[in-house]
Amino acid sequence: MPSTHAPIRRKVTLIDIAAACDVSRATVSLVLRNSPLVNRHTRERVQAELQRQGYIYNRAAANLRKRTSSSIALVLNDLANPFFAEFAAGVDEEVGAAGFVTLLGSTGESPERQQAVLSSLIEHGPGGIILSPAEGSDASRVMESLGPQMPVLLFNRELGGDLPESAHWDRLMLDNAHGAELATMHLIEQGHRRIAFFGGHAQSSSCQQRRAGFMKAMKRARLKVPKDYLVESAPTRLDAARACDALFASDPAPTAAVCYNDAVALGLMLGLGQRGLQPGRNFALTGFDNIGEAAMVSPSLTTISTAPRERGRQAARLLLARLEHPQERGERTIVPVELIVRTSSCPPLAA
Amino acid sequence: MPSTHAPIRRKVTLIDIAAACDVSRATVSLVLRNSPLVNRHTRERVQAELQRQGYIYNRAAANLRKRTSSSIALVLNDLANPFFAEFAAGVDEEVGAAGFVTLLGSTGESPERQQAVLSSLIEHGPGGIILSPAEGSDASRVMESLGPQMPVLLFNRELGGDLPESAHWDRLMLDNAHGAELATMHLIEQGHRRIAFFGGHAQSSSCQQRRAGFMKAMKRARLKVPKDYLVESAPTRLDAARACDALFASDPAPTAAVCYNDAVALGLMLGLGQRGLQPGRNFALTGFDNIGEAAMVSPSLTTISTAPRERGRQAARLLLARLEHPQERGERTIVPVELIVRTSSCPPLAA
DNA sequence: CGTTATTTTTAGAACGATCTAAATGGGGCA
DNA sequence: TGCCCCATTTAGATCGTTCTAAAAATAACG
């Protein structure tokens, strides 16, 4: 039996359609874009042929000619983190709805990888970039690989170093300080006096802001914060569990902790369990982010809601709006946050 | 003070560099691609000028001319699910390492959105597609919008309907049946006799496979499975928590459950708690996926590990390899899974 | 029927790169 | 000096679209 050699069809282009319909490329192009210029009959003829040949529009070619872009780059420090995964889903939703496509890049918190990812993505000509920077990445290097014209929306974190005035980058930041303040106030109202701030890298901007909000609330309540009530950790469960010991090194030990984020809070819960403490009974704690599992763990986690999916949509909208007015100056948007009280923030045992 | 109007520089192209160096476009192009043909001095001159003008390579233009692609589309039914988020991170890692870029699309389990997403992505000319289909999506429609030539790697689920022979699509599937079998055997060894299969949509292929593995183990142990020991739910925590009641509608009630996946298992834990039962003490359960929180919840969740990040890398490698040999026939890869025993799978109380 | 509007179509350049085939400029050598 | 060879460089077509300006076809009108 003769092996039927699969016919390696070239991709079908405007020219093929034009030839088949005996019209010019230009006419087919007009049909594709639904121009009212073209006659009803021709339009139908052409549309049928497009269908028949299984034509696929080549947007890259069109973009080249039109000098436009139809993609948005999304560069995240950690896609595997549920907070960012939700955020990405939100971005993609809105980007897709606007007829754009999302170019994904994940940097795994490495400034070097971030550079590589950015320079690779930029070559594909995205209309703009949504960037949640890797820890320790700096403004001038990022600027260097993006060029001064690329619209950028910075999410969640500031870059180290400072930007030239010329770059009008937008920012979408959580109200970290206020969120931490709310959490702290809540614990104080519950009756706690010895409260620690737990987790996060002290040099990251979001950690600094959250610590500041914490300190503000403590100061207002005239509560003092011994130096060893500020405990650092990587912002992961595992490292937080490890760092738990440091909390109890001090005497007297705290009775509650405001955690840098939910991941850290969950890690701390684990650590507490290993010390024989019951979070939500003899130790109170709060998180930050309200990731899905915060509601599901036991005890359920009191936390600060930031609605990551909605933030993703918002980021996309902001950037898409910016594409229309590239020359206006960058704006800083700070989104309000909300305290979600659950069961992990119990009153102190001997209140 | 005269407002210094920001100079709206056109993008710098090969031509600009060529002009500045007084060489031809072709020469600059050769420099960009590190061709050995060009003279050392010219190369250096050109490279300096590229640097100076902040040239950015236009890969779309190059791809157009070369008739190549430098992107891979990744279409997922649910990006917000930690399992797929990890998977996506793995894909992007490998795709990036190969010098490609990831085009992201999230369908939210809607076959309609999936169609829209696919037809949008395809226009950007990806070299291939990694697709984890939405529930209820069907082969012929997908085929229709992708065309017969596009390399496709199907992950995690089969499509409904069947494919024309002509399409050599690859598949990367988890060994669902075997995984569920392992989990069931483990519960049987723990001493359980009344075991349910909990959660998932019965019509999804992965659920069918997992149920089949469950039934196989039960049959081998000569344990019978009453019809109401097969409980359906959406594969989410929330719906699983709701569906918990159905488990205890039967008499006698089961003492253990093999859950469709971790999300469902976590939901079931919640539901059990609401009924005053303690998972891991008076009810045993297992999950599937080994998502991050499986190790962190209390009790920690016995589950089946599928290493989603590594699966992502593997999927990317398979697809990239396929790009080299588009005409070979599609392969089906089934990845082994592993039982991770933790504390949720306790023996029955009255063993 | 000739003119002018109006509608519809189109030739050809352009977008920013690559590729082919050929041109250019030395050196070496007879 | 003339010829060949090698290393470099380049003109011009090309990828699949859109755009501009103008041509062609049709309608309208005195």
Side-chain angles (χ1 to χ4, degrees):
Chain A
M1 198 188 296
S3 85
T4 36
H5 200 58
I8 307 196
R9 265 186 296 182
R10 297 186 315 96
K11 248 178 210 158
V12 11
T13 78
L14 276 195
I15 300 191
D16 303 302
I17 308 296
C21 295
D22 199 33
V23 295
S24 71
R25 291 187 328 282
T27 304
V28 181
S29 174
L30 289 173
V31 171
L32 284 176
R33 286 171 293 153
N34 276 316
S35 159
L37 288 183
V38 26
N39 177 290
R40 231 171 61 85
H41 289 93
T42 349
R43 170 188 311 279
E44 280 162 10
R45 220 152 37 90
V46 170
Q47 267 162 350
E49 188 65 21
L50 287 168
Q51 192 68 32
R52 204 181 66 72
Q53 296 204 29
Y55 170 80
I56 288 173
Y57 186 67
N58 184 334
R59 205 168 283 278
N63 283 334
L64 175 59
R65 175 62 232 254
K66 291 199 291 188
R67 301 153 141 271
T68 58
S69 168
S70 55
S71 58
I72 294 294
L74 173 61
V75 179
L76 297 175
N77 51 308
D78 181 13
L79 180 58
N81 178 328
F83 173 75
F84 288 109
E86 279 278 354
F87 178 79
V91 168
D92 186 60
E93 222 172 276
E94 202 73 24
V95 163
F100 284 61
V101 115
T102 307
L103 306 180
L104 184 65
S106 184
T107 65
E109 292 292 14
S110 147
E112 285 69 40
R113 262 189 67 72
Q114 177 170 290
Q115 283 307 114
V117 165
L118 287 176
S119 4
S120 164
L121 287 177
I122 197 91
E123 296 185 347
H124 290 83
I129 296 200
I130 295 175
L131 171 63
S132 170
E135 248 177 46
S137 52
D138 99 353
S140 57
R141 292 193 61 200
V142 169
M143 177 61 127
E144 195 175 345
S145 49
L146 296 187
Q149 303 293 326
M150 178 64 51
V152 173
L153 182 132
L154 233 43
F155 173 67
N156 189 51
R157 289 181 183 165
E158 293 290 344
L159 285 164
D162 37 25
L163 283 176
E165 257 308 305
S166 61
H168 349 229
W169 291 8
D170 295 300
R171 290 170 165 73
L172 178 62
M173 299 290 163
L174 307 179
D175 198 342
N176 286 310
H178 186 57
E181 197 182 338
L182 286 175
T184 312
M185 282 163 54
H186 169 63
L187 289 173
I188 293 173
E189 276 167 25
Q190 293 285 66
H192 292 275
R193 293 294 168 263
R194 301 199 305 277
I195 308 178
F197 187 96
F198 182 80
H201 283 138
Q203 71 272 30
S204 83
S205 68
S206 57
C207 186
Q208 283 166 6
Q209 292 163 358
R210 291 177 194 181
R211 281 189 175 186
F214 165 75
M215 295 304 277
K216 185 171 165 196
M218 292 298 275
K219 190 166 208 173
R220 196 168 44 225
R222 301 183 197 289
L223 295 171
K224 62 178 188 217
V225 180
K227 206 165 68 251
D228 40 8
Y229 275 24
L230 298 175
V231 177
E232 277 194 78
S233 82
T236 64
R237 276 180 255 224
L238 222 57
D239 197 56
R242 185 199 54 68
C244 178
D245 289 342
L247 257 192
F248 296 93
S250 47
D251 183 36
T255 65
V258 172
C259 295
Y260 169 68
N261 70 10
D262 286 354
V264 161
L266 294 172
L268 177 54
M269 280 191 187
L270 192 74
L272 290 168
Q274 287 166 350
R275 297 181 72 89
L277 287 169
Q278 283 189 24
R281 285 199 57 75
N282 38 31
F283 193 91
L285 74 173
T286 65
F288 206 115
D289 285 350
N290 194 28
I291 63 180
E293 49 197 303
M296 312 305 296
V297 285
S298 166
S300 59
L301 183 62
T302 294
T303 189
I304 301 294
S305 166
T306 56
R309 189 183 215 101
E310 175 52 28
R311 296 291 82 74
R313 288 208 216 88
Q314 185 177 14
R317 280 195 302 265
L318 284 170
L319 184 59
L320 289 165
R322 158 59 40 130
L323 298 190
E324 311 289 306
H325 313 284
Q327 293 304 321
E328 278 169 30
R329 79 178 276 108
E331 285 192 14
R332 159 180 252 113
T333 309
I334 295 188
V335 301
V337 295
E338 192 188 353
L339 177 70
I340 312 274
V341 176
R342 297 208 182 89
T343 57
S344 70
S345 54
C346 54
L349 267 191
Chain B
M1 198 186 295
S3 86
T4 36
H5 200 60
I8 307 196
R9 266 185 296 183
R10 298 187 313 96
K11 248 179 211 157
V12 10
T13 77
L14 276 195
I15 301 192
D16 304 302
I17 307 296
C21 295
D22 200 34
V23 295
S24 71
R25 291 186 329 280
T27 305
V28 181
S29 175
L30 290 172
V31 171
L32 284 176
R33 285 170 294 151
N34 277 315
S35 159
L37 288 183
V38 25
N39 177 290
R40 231 171 61 85
H41 288 93
T42 346
R43 171 188 311 278
E44 279 162 12
R45 220 151 37 89
V46 170
Q47 267 161 349
E49 189 64 20
L50 288 167
Q51 191 70 30
R52 205 181 65 73
Q53 296 204 30
Y55 170 80
I56 289 173
Y57 186 69
N58 184 333
R59 205 169 283 278
N63 282 335
L64 176 59
R65 177 63 234 257
K66 291 198 291 187
R67 300 153 142 267
T68 58
S69 168
S70 55
S71 58
I72 295 295
L74 173 62
V75 179
L76 297 175
N77 51 309
D78 181 12
L79 180 58
N81 178 328
F83 173 75
F84 289 109
E86 279 278 352
F87 178 79
V91 169
D92 186 60
E93 222 172 275
E94 202 74 23
V95 163
F100 285 61
V101 116
T102 307
L103 305 180
L104 183 66
S106 184
T107 64
E109 291 292 14
S110 148
E112 284 70 38
R113 264 189 66 71
Q114 177 169 289
Q115 282 307 113
V117 164
L118 287 176
S119 4
S120 165
L121 286 177
I122 197 93
E123 296 186 347
H124 290 83
I129 296 200
I130 296 175
L131 171 64
S132 169
E135 248 177 45
S137 53
D138 102 349
S140 58
R141 292 194 61 199
V142 169
M143 177 59 128
E144 194 175 344
S145 50
L146 295 187
Q149 302 294 326
M150 177 66 50
V152 174
L153 183 133
L154 233 43
F155 173 67
N156 188 49
R157 289 182 184 163
E158 291 292 344
L159 284 166
D162 37 25
L163 283 176
E165 257 307 305
S166 61
H168 351 229
W169 292 8
D170 294 300
R171 289 171 164 74
L172 179 62
M173 301 290 164
L174 306 180
D175 198 341
N176 285 310
H178 187 56
E181 197 182 339
L182 287 175
T184 311
M185 283 163 55
H186 169 62
L187 289 173
I188 294 173
E189 277 167 24
Q190 292 286 66
H192 292 276
R193 292 294 168 262
R194 302 200 304 278
I195 309 178
F197 187 96
F198 182 80
H201 283 139
Q203 71 271 29
S204 84
S205 68
S206 56
C207 187
Q208 283 165 6
Q209 291 164 358
R210 291 176 195 182
R211 281 189 176 186
F214 165 75
M215 295 304 277
K216 184 170 165 196
M218 292 297 275
K219 190 166 209 173
R220 197 170 42 225
R222 300 183 199 289
L223 295 171
K224 63 176 188 222
V225 181
K227 206 165 65 249
D228 41 8
Y229 275 22
L230 298 176
V231 177
E232 276 194 79
S233 82
T236 64
R237 276 181 257 224
L238 221 58
D239 197 57
R242 185 199 55 68
C244 178
D245 289 342
L247 258 192
F248 295 94
S250 47
D251 183 35
T255 64
V258 172
C259 295
Y260 170 68
N261 69 10
D262 286 354
V264 160
L266 294 173
L268 177 54
M269 281 192 186
L270 192 74
L272 291 168
Q274 286 166 350
R275 297 182 73 90
L277 287 169
Q278 283 190 22
R281 284 199 58 74
N282 38 32
F283 194 91
L285 74 173
T286 65
F288 207 114
D289 285 351
N290 194 27
I291 63 180
E293 50 197 303
M296 313 304 298
V297 287
S298 167
S300 60
L301 183 62
T302 294
T303 188
I304 301 294
S305 166
T306 56
R309 187 181 218 102
E310 175 51 29
R311 296 291 81 74
R313 287 208 217 89
Q314 185 177 13
R317 281 195 301 264
L318 282 170
L319 184 58
L320 290 166
R322 158 59 40 131
L323 299 190
E324 311 289 307
H325 313 285
Q327 294 304 323
E328 278 170 30
R329 81 178 275 107
E331 285 193 13
R332 157 180 253 114
T333 309
I334 295 187
V335 300
V337 295
E338 192 188 354
L339 177 70
I340 312 273
V341 176
R342 296 208 183 89
T343 58
S344 71
S345 54
C346 53
L349 267 190

